[in-house]
Amino acid sequence: MMVHARHRLLPLLLALAAGGASAADNMFSLSGFGTLGLVRTSTDDAQFALFGQTRGADKDPTAEVDSKLGVQVGAKFNDTFSGTVQVLTKSNGKGNFMPAVEWAFVKAQVTPGLSLRGGRMGAPFFAVSDFRDVGYANTALRPPKDVYDQVPVSHFDGADASYQLATSVGTLTGQVFGGQATDHSQRFKVDVKRLVGFNATLETDAGLTLRLGYAEGKLTVGNDALNGLVATLRATPFAAVGNQLDPNDSKASFSGVGLTWDQGQWVASAEYTQRRIKTFLADTDGWYVLVGHRFGPLTPYVTVSEARTVDSNVNNTIPAATPQLAALKAAVDGVVEGQRHTQKSFAIGARWDFARNLALKAQWENVRPEGRGYFFATTANWGTGKTVNVLSVALDTVF
Protein backbone atom coordinates (compact mmCIF):
# COMPACT_ATOMS: atom_id res chain seq x y z
CA MET A 1 0.00 0.00 0.00
CA MET A 2 1.17 3.51 -0.80
CA VAL A 3 1.50 5.99 2.08
CA HIS A 4 1.02 9.66 1.11
CA ALA A 5 3.22 11.05 3.93
CA ARG A 6 5.28 14.18 4.09
CA HIS A 7 8.53 12.54 5.16
CA ARG A 8 10.01 15.73 6.51
CA LEU A 9 7.41 15.72 9.31
CA LEU A 10 8.70 12.47 10.81
CA PRO A 11 12.10 13.61 12.14
CA LEU A 12 10.57 16.82 13.46
CA LEU A 13 7.85 15.01 15.39
CA LEU A 14 10.28 12.40 16.71
CA ALA A 15 12.51 15.21 17.91
CA LEU A 16 9.55 16.67 19.78
CA ALA A 17 8.85 13.34 21.41
CA ALA A 18 12.45 13.07 22.58
CA GLY A 19 12.27 16.10 24.83
CA GLY A 20 11.13 19.65 25.43
CA ALA A 21 12.58 23.08 25.04
CA SER A 22 13.62 25.56 27.71
CA ALA A 23 13.01 29.28 27.86
CA ALA A 24 15.66 31.49 26.32
CA ASP A 25 15.47 33.69 29.42
CA ASN A 26 12.85 34.85 31.91
CA MET A 27 11.11 37.01 29.32
CA PHE A 28 10.66 34.45 26.54
CA SER A 29 9.23 30.93 26.55
CA LEU A 30 9.11 28.25 23.89
CA SER A 31 6.53 25.47 23.65
CA GLY A 32 4.94 23.36 20.99
CA PHE A 33 2.92 20.35 19.98
CA GLY A 34 2.89 17.73 17.30
CA THR A 35 0.87 14.84 15.89
CA LEU A 36 2.01 12.01 13.66
CA GLY A 37 -1.16 10.36 12.35
CA LEU A 38 -2.18 7.71 9.86
CA VAL A 39 -5.67 7.21 8.39
CA ARG A 40 -7.25 4.70 6.03
CA THR A 41 -10.85 3.94 5.06
CA SER A 42 -12.85 1.04 3.65
CA THR A 43 -13.52 2.65 0.25
CA ASP A 44 -11.73 3.99 -2.80
CA ASP A 45 -14.89 5.75 -4.00
CA ALA A 46 -14.37 8.87 -1.85
CA GLN A 47 -11.78 10.57 0.32
CA PHE A 48 -11.89 11.32 4.05
CA ALA A 49 -10.18 14.53 5.17
CA LEU A 50 -10.55 17.46 7.50
CA PHE A 51 -12.69 20.25 6.08
CA GLY A 52 -10.89 22.25 3.41
CA GLN A 53 -8.00 19.84 2.82
CA THR A 54 -7.30 18.99 -0.81
CA ARG A 55 -6.27 15.35 -0.28
CA GLY A 56 -7.61 12.68 2.03
CA ALA A 57 -7.63 9.03 2.96
CA ASP A 58 -9.10 6.07 1.10
CA LYS A 59 -7.96 2.43 1.17
CA ASP A 60 -4.41 3.70 0.81
CA PRO A 61 -3.37 5.09 4.22
CA THR A 62 -2.21 8.68 4.43
CA ALA A 63 -0.37 10.71 7.05
CA GLU A 64 -1.64 14.01 5.65
CA VAL A 65 -5.02 14.23 7.39
CA ASP A 66 -3.92 14.50 11.04
CA SER A 67 -0.15 15.08 11.06
CA LYS A 68 0.92 18.54 12.19
CA LEU A 69 3.61 20.47 14.02
CA GLY A 70 3.13 23.67 16.00
CA VAL A 71 5.68 25.90 17.72
CA GLN A 72 4.70 28.73 20.05
CA VAL A 73 6.82 31.57 21.42
CA GLY A 74 5.58 33.65 24.34
CA ALA A 75 6.99 36.91 25.67
CA LYS A 76 6.13 38.52 29.02
CA PHE A 77 7.23 42.16 28.94
CA ASN A 78 5.90 43.10 32.37
CA ASP A 79 2.95 42.36 34.65
CA THR A 80 0.57 43.96 32.14
CA PHE A 81 1.81 43.26 28.61
CA SER A 82 2.65 39.95 26.92
CA GLY A 83 2.72 38.50 23.42
CA THR A 84 2.29 35.14 21.69
CA VAL A 85 3.25 33.85 18.25
CA GLN A 86 2.30 30.37 17.02
CA VAL A 87 3.48 28.85 13.74
CA LEU A 88 1.59 25.77 12.54
CA THR A 89 2.43 23.26 9.82
CA LYS A 90 -0.32 20.94 8.60
CA SER A 91 -2.08 19.88 5.41
CA ASN A 92 -3.93 23.04 4.45
CA GLY A 93 -6.54 24.31 2.01
CA LYS A 94 -3.85 25.26 -0.51
CA GLY A 95 -2.76 21.63 -0.86
CA ASN A 96 0.60 21.87 0.91
CA PHE A 97 2.29 21.79 4.33
CA MET A 98 3.64 25.34 4.22
CA PRO A 99 4.13 26.70 7.77
CA ALA A 100 1.76 29.55 8.55
CA VAL A 101 1.28 32.00 11.40
CA GLU A 102 -1.78 30.77 13.29
CA TRP A 103 -1.48 33.18 16.23
CA ALA A 104 0.34 36.51 16.59
CA PHE A 105 -1.15 38.78 19.22
CA VAL A 106 -0.32 41.09 22.09
CA LYS A 107 -2.23 40.96 25.36
CA ALA A 108 -2.85 43.55 28.04
CA GLN A 109 -3.96 42.32 31.47
CA VAL A 110 -5.68 45.58 32.41
CA THR A 111 -7.06 44.31 35.72
CA PRO A 112 -7.02 40.86 37.35
CA GLY A 113 -10.32 40.16 35.60
CA LEU A 114 -10.09 42.15 32.37
CA SER A 115 -7.78 41.34 29.44
CA LEU A 116 -7.50 42.84 25.96
CA ARG A 117 -5.85 41.24 22.91
CA GLY A 118 -5.06 42.44 19.42
CA GLY A 119 -3.60 40.68 16.39
CA ARG A 120 -4.17 37.20 14.99
CA MET A 121 -6.00 34.80 17.32
CA GLY A 122 -7.78 31.47 17.20
CA ALA A 123 -11.34 31.89 15.94
CA PRO A 124 -13.44 31.12 19.05
CA PHE A 125 -16.31 29.31 17.38
CA PHE A 126 -16.12 25.97 19.24
CA ALA A 127 -15.59 24.67 22.74
CA VAL A 128 -12.04 23.56 21.92
CA SER A 129 -11.15 26.28 19.39
CA ASP A 130 -8.00 27.34 21.27
CA PHE A 131 -6.55 23.82 21.25
CA ARG A 132 -8.36 21.97 18.46
CA ASP A 133 -5.01 21.39 16.71
CA VAL A 134 -3.28 20.20 19.90
CA GLY A 135 -4.07 16.52 19.74
CA TYR A 136 -2.53 15.87 23.15
CA ALA A 137 -5.03 18.25 24.79
CA ASN A 138 -8.05 16.36 23.37
CA THR A 139 -9.37 13.04 24.61
CA ALA A 140 -10.38 11.82 21.16
CA LEU A 141 -8.03 11.45 18.22
CA ARG A 142 -9.62 14.49 16.53
CA PRO A 143 -12.62 16.76 17.21
CA PRO A 144 -15.76 15.25 15.59
CA LYS A 145 -15.98 16.26 11.92
CA ASP A 146 -19.78 16.37 12.00
CA VAL A 147 -19.49 19.52 14.14
CA TYR A 148 -16.04 20.96 13.48
CA ASP A 149 -16.21 20.80 9.66
CA GLN A 150 -18.92 23.46 9.54
CA VAL A 151 -16.55 26.46 9.64
CA PRO A 152 -13.74 26.88 7.06
CA VAL A 153 -11.59 29.35 9.07
CA SER A 154 -9.52 28.66 12.19
CA HIS A 155 -8.16 32.14 13.07
CA PHE A 156 -9.08 35.79 12.70
CA ASP A 157 -7.31 39.15 12.65
CA GLY A 158 -8.77 41.68 15.03
CA ALA A 159 -9.25 42.23 18.74
CA ASP A 160 -11.09 40.77 21.70
CA ALA A 161 -11.87 41.59 25.31
CA SER A 162 -12.41 39.04 28.08
CA TYR A 163 -13.66 39.53 31.61
CA GLN A 164 -13.58 36.93 34.39
CA LEU A 165 -15.84 37.05 37.41
CA ALA A 166 -15.81 34.70 40.39
CA THR A 167 -19.31 33.62 41.45
CA SER A 168 -20.68 31.22 44.04
CA VAL A 169 -21.21 28.65 41.26
CA GLY A 170 -17.84 29.02 39.55
CA THR A 171 -15.78 31.29 37.31
CA LEU A 172 -17.79 33.14 34.66
CA THR A 173 -15.89 34.44 31.60
CA GLY A 174 -17.37 36.74 28.98
CA GLN A 175 -15.64 37.46 25.66
CA VAL A 176 -16.47 39.81 22.79
CA PHE A 177 -14.47 39.88 19.58
CA GLY A 178 -14.37 41.45 16.14
CA GLY A 179 -12.24 41.52 13.01
CA GLN A 180 -11.88 39.59 9.78
CA ALA A 181 -10.71 36.12 8.72
CA THR A 182 -9.03 34.74 5.59
CA ASP A 183 -8.21 31.12 4.78
CA HIS A 184 -8.35 28.57 1.97
CA SER A 185 -10.72 25.62 1.58
CA GLN A 186 -9.86 23.09 -1.14
CA ARG A 187 -7.79 25.80 -2.87
CA PHE A 188 -10.64 28.34 -2.79
CA LYS A 189 -9.98 31.54 -0.87
CA VAL A 190 -12.46 32.22 1.92
CA ASP A 191 -12.92 35.71 3.39
CA VAL A 192 -15.07 36.69 6.35
CA LYS A 193 -15.43 40.45 6.77
CA ARG A 194 -17.06 42.36 9.60
CA LEU A 195 -16.76 39.38 11.92
CA VAL A 196 -18.23 40.00 15.38
CA GLY A 197 -19.27 37.67 18.17
CA PHE A 198 -19.34 36.77 21.84
CA ASN A 199 -18.76 33.79 24.11
CA ALA A 200 -19.83 33.10 27.69
CA THR A 201 -18.22 30.29 29.69
CA LEU A 202 -18.92 29.03 33.21
CA GLU A 203 -16.35 26.77 34.89
CA THR A 204 -17.56 25.12 38.09
CA ASP A 205 -15.56 23.58 40.91
CA ALA A 206 -17.24 20.24 40.16
CA GLY A 207 -15.34 19.92 36.88
CA LEU A 208 -18.25 21.04 34.67
CA THR A 209 -17.75 23.73 32.01
CA LEU A 210 -20.68 25.27 30.12
CA ARG A 211 -20.23 27.44 27.03
CA LEU A 212 -22.49 29.58 24.80
CA GLY A 213 -21.25 31.37 21.67
CA TYR A 214 -22.42 33.33 18.64
CA ALA A 215 -20.62 34.91 15.67
CA GLU A 216 -21.65 36.55 12.41
CA GLY A 217 -20.01 38.19 9.42
CA LYS A 218 -20.00 38.66 5.65
CA LEU A 219 -18.65 35.64 3.75
CA THR A 220 -17.03 35.54 0.31
CA VAL A 221 -15.83 32.35 -1.41
CA GLY A 222 -13.46 32.95 -4.31
CA ASN A 223 -14.82 30.36 -6.73
CA ASP A 224 -14.45 31.54 -10.36
CA ALA A 225 -16.56 28.71 -11.80
CA LEU A 226 -19.43 29.50 -9.44
CA ASN A 227 -19.19 33.22 -10.18
CA GLY A 228 -19.43 32.37 -13.87
CA LEU A 229 -22.55 30.28 -13.30
CA VAL A 230 -24.10 33.12 -11.29
CA ALA A 231 -23.37 35.59 -14.10
CA THR A 232 -24.96 33.25 -16.65
CA LEU A 233 -28.09 32.83 -14.56
CA ARG A 234 -28.44 36.58 -14.07
CA ALA A 235 -28.62 36.96 -17.85
CA THR A 236 -31.66 34.64 -17.97
CA PRO A 237 -35.17 34.78 -16.50
CA PHE A 238 -33.77 32.74 -13.59
CA ALA A 239 -31.69 35.52 -12.07
CA ALA A 240 -33.25 34.77 -8.66
CA VAL A 241 -31.54 31.36 -8.68
CA GLY A 242 -28.23 33.06 -9.44
CA ASN A 243 -28.74 35.48 -6.57
CA GLN A 244 -29.27 32.56 -4.21
CA LEU A 245 -26.02 30.95 -5.39
CA ASP A 246 -23.97 34.17 -5.17
CA PRO A 247 -20.86 33.44 -3.04
CA ASN A 248 -19.95 37.10 -2.46
CA ASP A 249 -20.54 39.18 0.66
CA SER A 250 -23.21 36.86 2.06
CA LYS A 251 -24.47 37.10 5.61
CA ALA A 252 -23.33 34.13 7.71
CA SER A 253 -23.78 33.25 11.36
CA PHE A 254 -22.64 30.46 13.64
CA SER A 255 -23.85 29.63 17.13
CA GLY A 256 -23.21 26.83 19.57
CA VAL A 257 -23.64 25.52 23.08
CA GLY A 258 -21.30 23.04 24.70
CA LEU A 259 -20.33 21.37 27.91
CA THR A 260 -17.38 19.41 29.22
CA TRP A 261 -17.14 17.39 32.41
CA ASP A 262 -13.85 16.13 33.77
CA GLN A 263 -14.05 14.68 37.24
CA GLY A 264 -11.86 11.87 38.52
CA GLN A 265 -11.97 8.87 36.20
CA TRP A 266 -14.78 10.11 33.97
CA VAL A 267 -14.60 12.61 31.12
CA ALA A 268 -17.46 13.75 28.89
CA SER A 269 -18.15 16.50 26.38
CA ALA A 270 -20.96 17.56 24.07
CA GLU A 271 -21.70 20.36 21.60
CA TYR A 272 -24.64 21.47 19.51
CA THR A 273 -24.03 24.00 16.71
CA GLN A 274 -25.92 25.82 13.97
CA ARG A 275 -24.61 27.39 10.77
CA ARG A 276 -26.90 29.80 8.94
CA ILE A 277 -25.84 31.42 5.68
CA LYS A 278 -27.35 33.26 2.69
CA THR A 279 -25.52 31.69 -0.24
CA PHE A 280 -24.88 28.36 -1.99
CA LEU A 281 -23.48 26.91 1.25
CA ALA A 282 -26.22 25.05 3.09
CA ASP A 283 -27.62 25.76 6.55
CA THR A 284 -26.41 22.97 8.81
CA ASP A 285 -26.78 21.69 12.36
CA GLY A 286 -24.25 19.49 14.10
CA TRP A 287 -23.94 17.75 17.45
CA TYR A 288 -21.81 15.20 19.25
CA VAL A 289 -21.56 13.46 22.61
CA LEU A 290 -18.31 11.92 23.89
CA VAL A 291 -17.90 9.80 27.02
CA GLY A 292 -14.62 8.34 28.26
CA HIS A 293 -13.29 6.56 31.34
CA ARG A 294 -9.72 6.53 32.62
CA PHE A 295 -8.16 3.24 33.67
CA GLY A 296 -4.79 4.54 34.79
CA PRO A 297 -2.92 5.65 31.63
CA LEU A 298 -5.58 4.12 29.33
CA THR A 299 -8.72 6.07 28.39
CA PRO A 300 -11.24 4.32 26.14
CA TYR A 301 -14.00 6.56 24.77
CA VAL A 302 -17.12 6.51 22.61
CA THR A 303 -18.37 9.33 20.39
CA VAL A 304 -21.75 9.69 18.67
CA SER A 305 -22.25 12.60 16.27
CA GLU A 306 -24.44 13.86 13.45
CA ALA A 307 -24.34 16.55 10.76
CA ARG A 308 -27.63 17.59 9.20
CA THR A 309 -28.46 19.86 6.27
CA VAL A 310 -31.38 22.07 7.28
CA ASP A 311 -31.79 24.18 4.12
CA SER A 312 -29.93 24.21 0.80
CA ASN A 313 -30.71 27.96 0.50
CA VAL A 314 -31.32 27.47 -3.24
CA ASN A 315 -34.73 26.96 -4.87
CA ASN A 316 -33.92 25.64 -8.33
CA THR A 317 -36.88 26.77 -10.44
CA ILE A 318 -35.19 26.17 -13.81
CA PRO A 319 -37.33 23.83 -15.96
CA ALA A 320 -35.72 21.12 -18.09
CA ALA A 321 -37.76 22.19 -21.14
CA THR A 322 -34.79 22.30 -23.54
CA PRO A 323 -31.34 20.67 -23.56
CA GLN A 324 -29.77 24.04 -22.72
CA LEU A 325 -32.08 24.61 -19.75
CA ALA A 326 -31.62 21.01 -18.63
CA ALA A 327 -27.84 21.52 -18.57
CA LEU A 328 -28.22 24.74 -16.59
CA LYS A 329 -30.57 23.07 -14.14
CA ALA A 330 -28.13 20.17 -13.71
CA ALA A 331 -25.27 22.61 -13.02
CA VAL A 332 -27.26 24.24 -10.22
CA ASP A 333 -28.31 20.86 -8.80
CA GLY A 334 -24.66 19.79 -8.78
CA VAL A 335 -23.66 22.80 -6.70
CA VAL A 336 -26.51 22.21 -4.24
CA GLU A 337 -25.78 18.49 -3.90
CA GLY A 338 -22.10 19.19 -3.25
CA GLN A 339 -23.06 21.19 -0.16
CA ARG A 340 -25.48 18.67 1.34
CA HIS A 341 -23.52 17.61 4.41
CA THR A 342 -25.73 15.10 6.17
CA GLN A 343 -24.23 12.10 7.93
CA LYS A 344 -24.16 10.13 11.18
CA SER A 345 -21.00 8.84 12.82
CA PHE A 346 -20.18 6.40 15.61
CA ALA A 347 -16.62 6.16 16.91
CA ILE A 348 -14.80 3.96 19.43
CA GLY A 349 -11.29 4.88 20.45
CA ALA A 350 -8.65 4.68 23.14
CA ARG A 351 -5.91 6.98 24.39
CA TRP A 352 -2.78 5.56 26.04
CA ASP A 353 -0.58 8.03 27.95
CA PHE A 354 2.44 5.72 27.89
CA ALA A 355 5.10 8.34 28.72
CA ARG A 356 5.45 11.92 29.88
CA ASN A 357 3.97 14.29 27.24
CA LEU A 358 3.27 11.40 24.86
CA ALA A 359 -0.09 9.84 24.02
CA LEU A 360 -0.87 7.10 21.52
CA LYS A 361 -4.42 6.99 20.16
CA ALA A 362 -6.40 4.61 17.98
CA GLN A 363 -9.92 5.23 16.67
CA TRP A 364 -12.46 3.39 14.54
CA GLU A 365 -15.35 5.31 13.01
CA ASN A 366 -18.45 4.12 11.20
CA VAL A 367 -19.77 6.95 9.00
CA ARG A 368 -23.15 6.79 7.27
CA PRO A 369 -23.55 9.72 4.87
CA GLU A 370 -26.65 10.72 2.95
CA GLY A 371 -25.31 11.55 -0.48
CA ARG A 372 -21.73 12.71 -0.18
CA GLY A 373 -21.82 13.90 3.42
CA TYR A 374 -18.42 15.33 4.37
CA PHE A 375 -16.54 13.04 1.96
CA PHE A 376 -15.15 14.45 -1.29
CA ALA A 377 -13.63 13.30 -4.60
CA THR A 378 -16.45 10.78 -4.96
CA THR A 379 -16.41 8.44 -7.96
CA ALA A 380 -19.24 7.21 -10.18
CA ASN A 381 -19.50 4.13 -7.95
CA TRP A 382 -20.46 6.23 -4.93
CA GLY A 383 -24.11 5.72 -4.15
CA THR A 384 -26.75 6.43 -1.54
CA GLY A 385 -26.72 4.34 1.60
CA LYS A 386 -22.93 4.07 1.56
CA THR A 387 -21.29 3.18 4.88
CA VAL A 388 -17.61 3.91 5.39
CA ASN A 389 -15.30 2.64 8.10
CA VAL A 390 -12.40 4.92 9.04
CA LEU A 391 -9.41 3.62 11.01
CA SER A 392 -6.96 6.14 12.49
CA VAL A 393 -3.88 6.01 14.71
CA ALA A 394 -1.93 8.99 16.03
CA LEU A 395 1.00 9.82 18.27
CA ASP A 396 0.48 13.15 20.08
CA THR A 397 3.07 15.14 22.00
CA VAL A 398 3.57 18.51 23.68
CA PHE A 399 6.80 20.13 24.77
Side-chain angles (χ1 to χ4, degrees):
M1 292 182 294
M2 179 175 62
V3 177
H4 312 292
R6 296 282 177 161
H7 299 294
R8 65 178 181 272
L9 284 176
L10 181 58
L12 291 173
L13 290 174
L14 291 179
L16 289 180
S22 60
D25 52 40
N26 291 332
M27 177 182 291
F28 296 98
S29 62
L30 176 67
S31 60
F33 56 91
T35 295
L36 180 60
L38 198 64
V39 187
R40 67 161 297 174
T41 76
S42 60
T43 183
D44 281 329
D45 294 326
Q47 293 186 26
F48 173 93
L50 301 184
F51 190 69
Q53 292 179 339
T54 62
R55 294 180 298 274
D58 48 28
K59 286 186 177 180
D60 288 328
T62 177
E64 294 196 32
V65 175
D66 294 308
S67 296
K68 66 194 70 172
L69 174 64
V71 177
Q72 184 168 305
V73 177
K76 185 175 177 61
F77 306 111
N78 51 45
D79 291 340
T80 301
F81 293 102
S82 61
T84 301
V85 175
Q86 183 187 102
V87 177
L88 179 62
T89 298
K90 64 178 181 179
S91 179
N92 58 38
K94 294 182 179 180
N96 58 51
F97 272 79
M98 185 66 66
V101 176
E102 187 72 7
W103 296 354
F105 61 83
V106 293
K107 178 180 178 180
Q109 193 69 45
V110 181
T111 70
L114 175 64
S115 64
L116 306 176
R117 298 188 301 174
R120 173 165 292 183
M121 296 160 285
F125 300 138
F126 301 98
V128 300
S129 289
D130 280 345
F131 52 91
R132 63 184 293 180
D133 284 309
V134 186
Y136 187 87
N138 293 283
T139 300
L141 190 140
R142 70 178 71 86
K145 282 171 53 62
D146 293 348
V147 171
Y148 280 72
D149 274 13
Q150 292 179 95
V151 179
V153 295
S154 61
H155 58 251
F156 78 102
D157 300 321
D160 74 352
S162 297
Y163 187 77
Q164 284 191 341
L165 177 66
T167 71
S168 59
V169 180
T171 301
L172 180 63
T173 302
Q175 178 196 33
V176 292
F177 59 91
Q180 61 183 25
T182 299
D183 213 327
H184 284 77
S185 177
Q186 293 187 337
R187 295 191 172 89
F188 296 121
K189 187 178 180 181
V190 178
D191 287 307
V192 182
K193 306 293 185 183
R194 287 174 278 175
L195 173 66
V196 294
F198 75 89
N199 289 297
T201 305
L202 177 65
E203 300 178 70
T204 72
D205 296 334
L208 181 66
T209 300
L210 303 174
R211 178 188 176 276
L212 170 68
Y214 175 83
E216 67 175 41
K218 293 291 187 176
L219 173 69
T220 295
V221 180
N223 188 322
D224 291 340
L226 183 56
N227 279 316
L229 177 59
V230 170
T232 299
L233 288 167
R234 284 174 171 166
T236 72
F238 311 104
V241 179
N243 293 336
Q244 293 168 9
L245 288 173
D246 190 357
N248 301 291
D249 202 33
S250 303
K251 182 180 179 180
S253 67
F254 188 79
S255 57
V257 295
L259 66 84
T260 59
W261 182 61
D262 193 337
Q263 187 71 11
Q265 296 175 324
W266 287 97
V267 59
S269 61
E271 283 187 79
Y272 174 76
T273 56
Q274 292 185 339
R275 183 182 77 179
R276 298 295 182 262
I277 193 163
K278 298 298 183 182
T279 183
F280 74 102
L281 298 172
D283 291 347
T284 57
D285 293 350
W287 65 267
Y288 79 87
V289 176
L290 177 149
V291 178
H293 189 278
R294 298 186 180 97
F295 297 92
L298 184 66
T299 306
Y301 61 86
V302 174
T303 305
V304 180
S305 60
E306 181 179 6
R308 186 167 64 91
T309 297
V310 177
D311 193 333
S312 70
N313 293 321
V314 178
N315 181 21
N316 190 358
T317 58
I318 303 173
T322 67
Q324 292 81 6
L325 287 177
L328 198 59
K329 180 180 180 65
V332 173
D333 286 341
V335 173
V336 172
E337 181 61 25
Q339 299 302 319
R340 189 162 66 90
H341 300 305
T342 296
Q343 62 182 39
K344 297 179 180 179
S345 304
F346 174 75
I348 298 175
R351 171 188 178 132
W352 178 30
D353 290 271
F354 65 94
R356 183 177 180 271
N357 294 341
L358 287 169
L360 182 64
K361 299 176 183 177
Q363 181 172 294
W364 169 82
E365 294 170 76
N366 179 260
V367 186
R368 291 167 290 163
E370 292 183 14
R372 196 177 71 171
Y374 274 114
F375 292 89
F376 72 102
T378 54
T379 70
N381 295 325
W382 183 266
T384 59
K386 192 81 170 182
T387 297
V388 181
N389 295 314
V390 182
L391 181 62
S392 309
V393 294
L395 175 65
D396 292 325
T397 186
V398 293
F399 67 98

